[in-house]
């Protein structure tokens, strides 16, 4: 809503007709004719004030809604940054924030679980599908098997990120970010081609590199 500008108030004449004044008629006329204008202007000012108050309430509501949306987005991002792996590989207790992959989709945990194996994503109300376009990420400090759709943050030197046994589907994402300043690590592409090339195991020296790939097909591999 556009906030209206309040009209200026009408200033009544400072001279009021005095009995016996030699200019009584003119002063009386000036005072009498200014009153209706002043009264009308007060009404305009009151209307503008009311409209401004309504606009302020609407702005406050919009700000509150925006805050709720921002909070929801923050929750999604936080959960996506706490990727725990394949749901089928987890056992025991699992607390929020957490994200898992199951049935080809990523899921956000809504409730703390005493036994994650007893709460299956897509069936239990403890989970909601992650469909906000946030890429789940996982900090790894040891040998790890790739889960399609995850961005891996290399958190220690010497580890192996392996694609052995990974089954890719068209459009699956794979990403790497380095959070170490020195040392090296290995990406074992196994039989997965990288831009049509069969690379096998590649040793990478840390240098704050990053990698983003999407699987196309068996011939082109990750592109």
């Amino acid at each position: 809503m556009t906030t209206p500008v309040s009209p200026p108030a009408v200033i009544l004449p400072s001279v009021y007709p005095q009995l016996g004044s030699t200019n009584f008629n003119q002063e009386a006329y000036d005072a009498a004719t200014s009153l209706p204008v002043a009264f009308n202007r007060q009404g305009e000012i009151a209307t503008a004030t009311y409209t401004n108050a309504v606009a302020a309430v609407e702005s406050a509501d919009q700000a509150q809604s925006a805050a709720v949306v921002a909070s929801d987005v923050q929750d999604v991002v936080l959960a996506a940054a706490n990727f725990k792996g394949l749901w089928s590989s987890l056992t025991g207790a699992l607390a929020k924030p957490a994200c898992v992959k199951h049935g080809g989709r990523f899921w956000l945990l809504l409730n703390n679980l005493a036994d994650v194996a007893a709460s299956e994503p897509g069936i239990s109300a403890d989970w909601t599908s992650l469909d906000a376009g946030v890429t789940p990420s996982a900090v790894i400090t040891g040998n790890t098997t790739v889960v399609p759709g995850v961005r891996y943050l290399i958190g220690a030197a010497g580890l192996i990120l392996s694609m052995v046994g990974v089954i890719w589907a068209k459009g699956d994402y794979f990403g790497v970010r380095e959070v170490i300043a020195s040392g090296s690590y290995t990406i074992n592409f196994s039989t997965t081609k990288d831009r049509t090339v069969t690379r096998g195991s590649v040793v990478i020296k840390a240098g704050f590199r990053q990698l983003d790939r999407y699987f196309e097909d068996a011939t082109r591999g990750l592109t």
Side-chain angles (χ1 to χ4, degrees):
M1 175 182 290
T2 302
T3 302
V5 178
S6 296
V10 173
I11 306 301
L12 295 176
S14 59
V15 178
Y16 295 94
Q18 300 293 322
L19 291 176
S21 171
T22 58
N23 200 28
F24 178 82
N25 289 341
Q26 185 61 51
E27 293 172 357
Y29 175 81
D30 292 342
T33 54
S34 65
L35 290 177
V37 177
F39 291 151
N40 290 337
R41 184 58 55 82
Q42 291 301 315
E44 294 173 2
I45 294 173
T47 299
T49 301
Y50 171 79
T51 303
N52 288 339
V54 172
V57 171
E58 290 181 355
S59 296
D61 290 341
Q62 292 171 359
Q64 183 178 20
S65 298
V68 171
V69 171
S71 177
D72 291 343
V73 171
Q74 181 183 29
D75 291 342
V76 170
V77 172
L78 182 61
N82 285 270
F83 178 67
K84 304 301 181 181
L86 296 174
W87 172 81
S88 59
S89 68
L90 302 178
T91 59
L94 183 63
K96 302 180 298 181
C99 173
V100 301
K101 189 173 186 180
H102 180 62
R105 304 180 71 179
F106 290 97
W107 301 86
L108 301 180
L109 183 62
L110 301 178
N111 303 305
N112 293 334
L113 302 174
D115 181 10
V116 63
S119 178
E120 183 176 356
I123 296 177
S124 170
D126 293 322
W127 303 89
T128 186
S129 176
L130 175 58
D131 56 1
V134 178
T135 302
S137 61
V139 178
I140 57 175
T141 56
N143 295 346
T144 302
T145 298
V146 169
V147 174
V150 178
R151 178 184 294 120
Y152 290 95
L153 279 63
I154 307 300
L159 61 80
I160 299 174
L161 184 57
S162 175
M163 298 183 189
V164 174
V166 174
I167 299 175
W168 298 92
K170 182 179 175 62
D172 278 346
Y173 169 79
F174 167 69
V176 172
R177 297 290 188 275
E178 296 175 358
V179 290
I180 55 174
S182 61
S184 62
Y185 57 96
T186 299
I187 297 180
N188 181 3
F189 288 88
S190 186
T191 59
T192 300
K193 293 184 178 180
D194 179 49
R195 296 185 173 178
T196 73
V197 178
T198 302
R199 301 190 186 279
S201 291
V202 179
V203 178
I204 301 173
K205 184 178 180 180
F208 297 105
R209 296 179 175 85
Q210 64 183 39
L211 177 70
D212 293 288
R213 295 284 194 271
Y214 292 89
F215 187 80
E216 182 60 29
D217 53 38
T219 301
R220 298 171 180 81
L222 296 166
T223 61

